[in-house]
Each structure stands twice: as C-alpha cells, then as structure tokens.
Amino acid sequence: MIQSIAKKEYLSSIRDRRFIVIAIIISILLVMATIIGMQNYESLKNERNTAQQTVNDQFTNSTARHPHRMAHYGSYAFRPKSPLSFLDFGIDSFTGTTLYMEAHRQNTANFSEAQQSTSLIRFGEMSVAFVLQILVPLLIIFLCFGAFSQEKETGTLKILLSQGVSITKIAWGKIKGYSLVVATLIYPAFFLVCIVLFLQGNFDWETGMLARYLSFIAAYSSYFFIFIMLSVIVSAAYTNSSASLITLLGIWMLFCVIMPKVTANIGDQLYPSITKAEMNAEIHEEVLAGIDGHNSKDERAEAMKQELFDKYGVNSLEDLPVNFDGLWLAKGEEQSSKTYSKHFDEITQTFQKQNKIATYAALINPFLAIRNLSMGIAGSDFYRYTDFLKKAEKYRYQRTQKLNHIQATRLKYGDKLTRLDSKTWKEFEPFSYTTPGLWWSIKNHWFSVFALIFWMFLLSGSTTFIIRKSKIA
C-alpha cells in the first residue's frame, strides 16, 4: 500500500504545473550556480597555482645573497582552492588568500575576495550550497504542505482510512513519494556534476575526492529527507492548507534566516575577540621583551657566548667552530615564533568557541548542521583555513631556521659580505599545501553528522506518534 500511495503522490506532483514552474526555476538556478562556481574555481585555481610557482621559482633562482638577507627576502604562500569548493564557497570569500612568509614575523593571510568585492557579498553568493540549503527546502515546503491538510479539506483522507489503510502507512507512502520527486529533480544534477569533474580530471582517487563528493550527496539527501518528514508532520497537524503553509514558511524563516544570525551574535557576545591592532600591539610588546636576534650584546647573549666558550674550550667568538650570529638569530627566531604562535592560537580558539554555538545549535536546527558539514566536505571551512595557516607557518619557521643554520655553519663570525649563490637556495623544498582527507573533515564536524542523524531518528520516530494524534478532519 505504501508503494501505491508513493506512486500516486509522485505522479500528482510532477503533473502539478505550479510545482513544475518552481522546480524549473530552481533547476536553472542550480545549473547557473554550478557553472558560475566551476568557472570561479578554475580561474582562482589557475591564478594561485601560477602565482605559487612563480614565487617558488623566484626564491630558488635568486641571485647570490647573504643567508640572513634571504630570510628577510622571504616568499609567499597562496591558499589553494579545494576541488569541491565550487559547490560550497564557505568562508573562502571572506578569508585571506596570500600569506607573506619572512623571518621574525608570523603574518596573517591577506587579500580576501570580499575585500575586492562590493558590500553586496555580505548578503550571500549564488552557489550550489545556497540553492540546496535555502531554495530546495522551500521547494519541499510547497511540495508537501498539503500532504494531509489538503486530504482533510477534500475528505479523501476519511475515504482512505475507511478502506482499512492505516494513517501511518499513508504518511510513509507520502514521504516516499515526495522523496522520489526531490530525487528526480536533484540527483540528475549531481550526476552531471560528477561526470564533469571526471572529465576535468579533478577527481583524484588518492585524495578521496570521489568519497568527498558521495559524502556531500549523502549529507544533502539526509537534509532533504528531514525537511520532507517535517513538512508532512506539520501538514498532518492542520486541517487547513493555508495554515500549514504559513507554519512551514515560518519554520523555514527561523531555520535558514533568523537562527544563523542569532547564533553568530550569541557567539560573538559570549566569546568576544580582540581586534587585529590590539593583538599586534600585544605581540610587539612581548617580542621587544624577548630575544632580539640582531642584538648580540644583551645579558642573555653574553650567557650563551660563555656556554659556547666552555663547550668548545675557546675564549673568543672568532675561535668558535660555529658562527655565533647564526646561532643567536636561531634563538631569537625560536622565541619570537612561540610568541606569535601563542597569540594566533588564542585568537583561533576564540573563533572556534564562537563557531561552537552554531555547531551545538544544530540539535534544534538542521540547517546549521548541513551548513557546517557541507563546508567541511567541500574544503571551505574554518578548520581548513587554519590548517593552511599552520602548515605555512611551519614551513616559514623551518626555512628560516635552516637559513640560520647555514649562516652558523658556512660563514665566519662577523661575516656580512659573503654571498651564497643560487645553488644554496635550490636546497630548499618549495612550499605546497595538500588538503587533508575526508576523515579529517568528518572528525572536525562529527557533531554536525550526529545532529543530522539525530533529526532523522527524531522525526522518523515522531511521525507515527504525532500523525496518529492529529485530527482526521
């Protein structure tokens, strides 16, 4: 019986002109968002890959320079785009893309896309995720709002029940039918995107891109199923279709518009963050109080000199088998890096605490769950951004210390004139960033996965109970 009801709902839905018009509009928007997203991805990927290769070549082919001069010369790290970020832009447009890596400083990433765009970007961007998270639920609401209320208005529900069909079977038949309608609309688009990705060669089996894409589809399938069940339950609670529609639109407004802003404001109020200027001032004060690698005359430097004299049995810096300048620069770099890392970790933890409010609120709002999980799977979330910063900083620190080691072992104390040729700079591996695997993303967003599963079980278990208690007429 469930199959027959599902078939009836499926056929009646795809024959409804109103639904067809809305479905066509959303399909067009989905195709446009995909095309725009892929063009944007290809453009930014090529730009950043070219820029990264250029600065890497400039460093390795640099002219003869003193090692410390080379440390200050530095280079850039360009944050690469994740292959699936065209589906969900996430925070990519609002975070920096270019990081300058130099000695003694841990810089922040600059030049976000939002800085180069108009203020309209704050209202959101047309992306596949926007269509799937915001517009498809609206389509589901217009599809399902009359599931039971319309049957009650026409009296057909009583007829079905009088034939011995349980209201539970009717409900699950309708849910199945509506699920097939949504699948008919959405899955062909997913399939076409998959084919395009394969043709473009963006699926790398070693990095699990196929698994990421399938996880993306599974996550949104769960999200749509939640909205279908919720819409059917609300429809069963009313005897009037208009009241059912208004209620569902109110829920959609609460979930997709109001609560995301409210949770963000609550997070900001509970865990306020300091400004960039304030953080820079604190770092500057601590660095000044720490070791200055360019000043080898303070008490700490003198103590280190004496340790080296005792270790090597000499009485002067010139007699040391190592260059004190390089060792002292390395000591200063170690301390300043710890200072910068401490402050960056603190501000990162503050932002993560703010984000946790929206994460935990996913238990009362499935939109927040799919938004966070979608960004994580697409590789456009806060975790990937901070992972890039950490790996870039690790590379900067290791390269700077290697240059200090070269100065300490290959140059004599006080030698400011010797220049090392480009063969020396070719010893350094160029910077490259690899996106962590799918499992890393899932672990970071495990609560969002749990929230979606929680909503599915909650509504599945509630369907029978609530619909049985609803008024028949």
Side-chain angles (χ1 to χ4, degrees):
M1 193 64 192
I2 291 178
Q3 184 65 29
S4 299
I5 296 173
K7 183 178 180 180
K8 177 260 180 185
E9 294 296 338
Y10 177 80
L11 293 175
S12 61
S13 296
I14 62 176
R15 290 170 182 169
D16 188 333
R17 292 183 178 179
R18 294 169 300 178
F19 172 77
I20 291 174
V21 171
I22 297 174
I24 290 174
I25 293 173
I26 291 181
S27 297
I28 292 173
L29 291 175
L30 191 60
V31 171
M32 289 177 60
T34 302
I35 295 172
I36 293 172
M38 296 189 76
Q39 289 177 342
N40 178 67
Y41 164 74
E42 287 293 334
S43 174
L44 293 177
K45 182 190 75 170
N46 293 333
E47 287 178 5
R48 295 179 192 179
N49 288 347
T50 301
Q52 190 66 67
Q53 187 61 48
T54 300
V55 297
N56 289 344
D57 291 343
Q58 286 175 344
F59 186 89
T60 56
N61 297 319
S62 183
T63 57
R65 282 190 173 93
H66 189 278
H68 193 61
R69 179 64 61 188
M70 202 63 183
H72 280 287
Y73 177 76
S75 65
Y76 290 88
F78 296 89
R79 181 165 55 88
K81 294 283 288 182
S82 169
L84 291 186
S85 61
F86 76 92
L87 295 173
D88 191 335
F89 300 158
I91 66 169
D92 276 1
S93 299
F94 302 92
T95 50
T97 61
T98 307
L99 184 66
Y100 180 46
M101 301 181 292
E102 61 176 327
H104 315 315
R105 291 180 61 84
Q106 183 177 342
N107 295 309
T108 55
N110 295 313
F111 306 114
S112 67
E113 294 175 55
Q115 288 178 315
Q116 306 170 58
S117 304
T118 66
S119 59
L120 292 176
I121 196 172
R122 293 182 298 172
F123 295 95
E125 300 172 277
M126 177 57 70
S127 67
V128 174
F130 175 83
V131 175
L132 297 179
Q133 293 171 14
I134 305 294
L135 301 183
V136 172
L138 265 181
L139 173 69
I140 292 172
I141 287 173
F142 284 109
L143 174 67
C144 305
F145 78 92
F148 274 98
S149 57
Q150 199 169 33
E151 300 272 14
K152 293 175 184 179
E153 289 173 337
T154 58
T156 52
L157 181 60
K158 284 186 176 181
I159 297 174
L160 282 172
L161 294 174
S162 66
Q163 294 176 351
V165 182
S166 69
I167 195 168
T168 302
K169 288 185 176 180
I170 295 174
W172 284 110
K174 289 178 177 292
I175 290 172
K176 183 178 180 180
Y178 296 140
S179 299
L180 290 173
V181 174
V182 175
T184 301
L185 173 65
I186 301 299
Y187 283 176
F190 280 144
F191 181 70
L192 288 175
V193 171
C194 185
I195 292 176
V196 171
L197 288 175
F198 268 112
L199 292 176
Q200 289 187 335
N202 286 328
F203 269 118
D204 187 343
W205 291 94
E206 294 181 2
T207 57
M209 291 310 303
L210 179 59
R212 278 185 178 273
Y213 189 62
L214 292 177
S215 299
F216 187 86
I217 295 174
Y220 276 99
S221 297
S222 302
Y223 179 61
F224 299 152
F225 191 61
I226 288 168
F227 258 94
I228 290 171
M229 287 192 292
L230 182 63
S231 298
V232 170
I233 290 173
V234 170
S235 180
Y238 288 93
T239 57
N240 183 277
S241 295
S242 298
S244 172
L245 178 60
I246 293 173
T247 301
L248 285 170
L249 290 176
I251 293 173
W252 174 84
M253 181 71 71
L254 177 67
F255 281 177
C256 301
V257 180
I258 298 175
M259 279 195 67
K261 182 63 176 178
V262 170
T263 53
N265 289 338
I266 292 174
D268 188 51
Q269 292 296 319
L270 292 178
Y271 306 104
S273 60
I274 61 175
T275 65
K276 183 178 180 180
E278 291 172 335
M279 187 179 74
N280 288 339
E282 292 179 4
I283 292 174
H284 181 69
E285 184 178 344
E286 289 189 33
V287 169
L288 286 179
I291 295 175
D292 181 2
H294 295 94
N295 179 16
S296 59
K297 303 298 183 181
D298 69 4
E299 294 180 358
R300 289 164 294 190
E302 294 298 328
M304 184 175 177
K305 291 175 186 177
Q306 190 58 50
E307 289 179 8
L308 291 172
F309 291 160
D310 295 340
K311 179 180 178 180
Y312 292 105
V314 297
N315 296 316
S316 68
L317 294 174
E318 289 77 4
D319 294 333
L320 285 172
V322 291
N323 185 342
F324 178 77
D325 288 338
L327 297 179
W328 188 239
L329 283 168
K331 193 72 174 178
E333 186 67 37
E334 179 183 354
Q335 187 174 75
S336 64
S337 293
K338 288 181 179 178
T339 300
Y340 275 97
S341 295
K342 182 189 74 171
H343 284 274
F344 272 91
D345 287 343
E346 287 175 356
I347 193 68
T348 297
Q349 289 173 5
T350 299
F351 290 146
Q352 287 177 341
K353 288 178 181 178
Q354 293 176 356
N355 292 337
K356 288 294 183 183
I357 301 299
T359 299
Y360 295 140
L363 285 178
I364 56 175
N365 185 354
F367 170 80
L368 295 174
I370 193 61
R371 186 186 66 176
N372 294 333
L373 184 58
S374 176
M375 287 191 294
I377 295 174
S380 57
D381 60 337
F382 184 70
Y383 289 104
R384 184 180 182 273
Y385 173 67
T386 55
D387 182 67
F388 165 78
L389 295 180
K390 289 177 181 178
K391 289 179 178 176
E393 165 57 18
K394 181 180 179 181
Y395 175 85
R396 183 206 68 83
Y397 177 74
Q398 291 177 345
R399 187 186 65 187
T400 303
Q401 292 296 57
K402 186 175 179 178
L403 287 166
N404 289 331
H405 178 73
I406 289 174
Q407 182 174 349
T409 57
R410 302 186 194 180
L411 275 66
K412 295 295 184 180
Y413 172 71
D415 184 356
K416 307 292 185 181
L417 300 176
T418 299
R419 303 290 186 264
L420 302 179
D421 60 26
S422 61
K423 291 181 180 179
T424 306
W425 321 135
K426 288 182 171 60
E427 298 175 13
F428 293 81
E429 288 291 329
F431 174 77
S432 91
Y433 176 76
T434 303
T435 301
L438 173 63
W439 182 240
W440 179 84
S441 300
I442 297 297
K443 285 193 294 184
N444 287 330
H445 294 282
W446 69 268
F447 195 85
S448 297
V449 177
F450 169 76
L452 285 176
I453 296 173
F454 168 79
W455 270 95
M456 290 182 68
F457 276 99
L458 175 67
L459 293 177
S460 296
S462 302
T463 297
T464 301
F465 176 78
I466 294 177
I467 289 179
R468 280 180 177 176
K469 296 292 183 178
S470 64
K471 296 180 180 179
I472 305 300

